[in-house]
Each structure stands twice: as structure tokens, then as C-alpha cells.
Amino acid sequence: MKNKIFVSALLLSFFLMATANAIPPIEEGKTLFLTRCAACHNVNKNMTGPALSGIDARRSIDWIINFVHSSQTMVKGGDKDALAIFEKFNKVPMPDHPDLTDENIKSIVAYIKAESKPLTVDKAQLAKPGKKQTAYRPLTINNYVFFIGYLVVVAGLIAALYFAVQLKTFERNKKNGTLSA
């Protein structure tokens, strides 16, 4: 009986250790991206380095792994894509990351793929400014209904204040006994 409990506990501990170390690739990729890549790269916009959205469609995973491990080796080796990136981003070299495993880099690519926004053209950017309609109507002299309404409200407030002052004066005079006929 004691052996069954011991074996069960041992199997349970191995299972818990195996599941505790198994971080989902996207979560591992997010952590690695934020600690290693986010200083120079963004998923959806260019920074010091290029935007990484769609990198898996533009380059093979082997190319990405080699570039991350040593970008300058690829530049010096004459790789045309590596040279183009190096030239486009002001010849700022990407630091080498030889300590990242192939699986680490694949998890970073999985995170980038999950975070990538679809590339769509915003139609509002292409619209001509003269063609857009405002959501409000600016005031003009032709808005006579508004101006008449405004004047009626102001006149009503003035009349109400005048009436309140006259009423207060009447009450004060009545209290003091100085009512004039």
C-alpha cells in the first residue's frame, strides 16, 4: 500500500513539474519579445528596427533564426535581404542573440504573428478634405431660429431677475413698514 502511494506521489510530482515548465509558445514569445526586442522593434510600426508584423510571410523561419543569431554575419556574407534592412535602418546593427534557441525564436515569431494587425488602408486617409461632412453645423447669421431662441431665453432671464429684485424690495419694505402707496 505504501509503495502505491509513493509511486502515485512520484508520478504526480513529475506531471506537475512537466506542466509547470511548459509555457505556451506565445506567452514565452511575448516575454522574450518584451525583454529582448521591444527596445528597437514594434510589431506594427517601424522604430529603430523594422516593424515585425508579417515577418513570417516575408522571410523563412531559417532566415529569421540566422538573422537573429548574427545579423552582421549575414550582412558581411552579402545576403541581399539583410543588406537591404541594414541600409534602410541607417546602418544600425542589430545585436547578436546567439543564446536564443531556435525554439525561443520560433515562439517570438508566434507572438508577433498573434499580435500583428491586418494591413488595411483606411479610407478616411484617402478622402479629400473638401468632401468630408462635419458632424455639426457651425453657427451662421442664417440660423435665425437659434438667435431668436437665444434672445428669448436671455430676455426671460433678465425679466426673472428683475422680478426677483422687485419682489425682494417689496418684502423688505413690507417688513420695515415703509410701503408707499
Side-chain angles (χ1 to χ4, degrees):
M1 180 70 175
K2 289 182 182 181
N3 287 340
K4 288 182 181 179
I5 293 174
F6 177 73
V7 169
S8 298
L10 188 63
L11 287 174
L12 181 62
S13 65
F14 280 129
F15 174 75
L16 291 176
M17 285 182 0
T19 56
N21 291 334
I23 300 172
I26 292 177
E27 288 302 315
E28 178 188 14
K30 178 179 181 179
T31 303
L32 288 169
F33 181 84
L34 293 175
T35 57
R36 295 292 196 89
C37 311
C40 298
H41 296 280
N42 187 301
V43 175
N44 295 303
K45 67 179 181 178
N46 288 335
M47 290 176 51
T48 305
L52 298 176
S53 178
I55 189 70
D56 58 322
R58 294 190 306 264
R59 310 278 187 268
S60 70
I61 194 67
D62 293 331
W63 187 94
I64 296 169
I65 290 170
N66 290 333
F67 191 79
V68 170
H69 282 157
S70 180
S71 65
Q72 287 305 296
T73 302
M74 293 180 73
V75 169
K76 291 175 185 170
D79 184 279
K80 65 178 179 144
D81 292 333
L83 278 168
I85 292 170
F86 185 63
E87 292 291 326
K88 182 177 180 183
F89 289 92
N90 301 323
K91 297 184 180 181
V92 175
M94 179 173 145
D96 294 343
H97 299 282
D99 56 319
L100 290 175
T101 65
D102 293 357
E103 293 306 314
N104 291 146
I105 297 169
K106 288 177 183 177
S107 66
I108 293 171
V109 170
Y111 167 72
I112 291 167
K113 193 174 183 179
E115 287 296 308
S116 295
K117 293 180 183 173
L119 297 174
T120 58
V121 176
D122 187 10
K123 290 183 180 179
Q125 291 175 347
L126 303 176
K128 294 181 181 177
K131 300 278 182 178
K132 283 187 172 182
Q133 274 195 345
T134 56
Y136 62 91
R137 286 182 32 203
L139 289 177
T140 64
I141 196 70
N142 296 332
N143 296 17
Y144 58 89
V145 173
F146 173 79
F147 287 116
I148 291 173
Y150 179 77
L151 292 174
V152 167
V153 169
V154 169
L157 287 173
I158 291 172
L161 288 173
Y162 179 76
F163 178 74
V165 168
Q166 292 301 320
L167 184 66
K168 213 44 160 162
T169 305
F170 178 77
E171 287 175 357
R172 197 175 299 128
N173 289 339
K174 184 177 178 184
K175 186 178 177 183
N176 292 338
T178 58
L179 278 175
S180 59

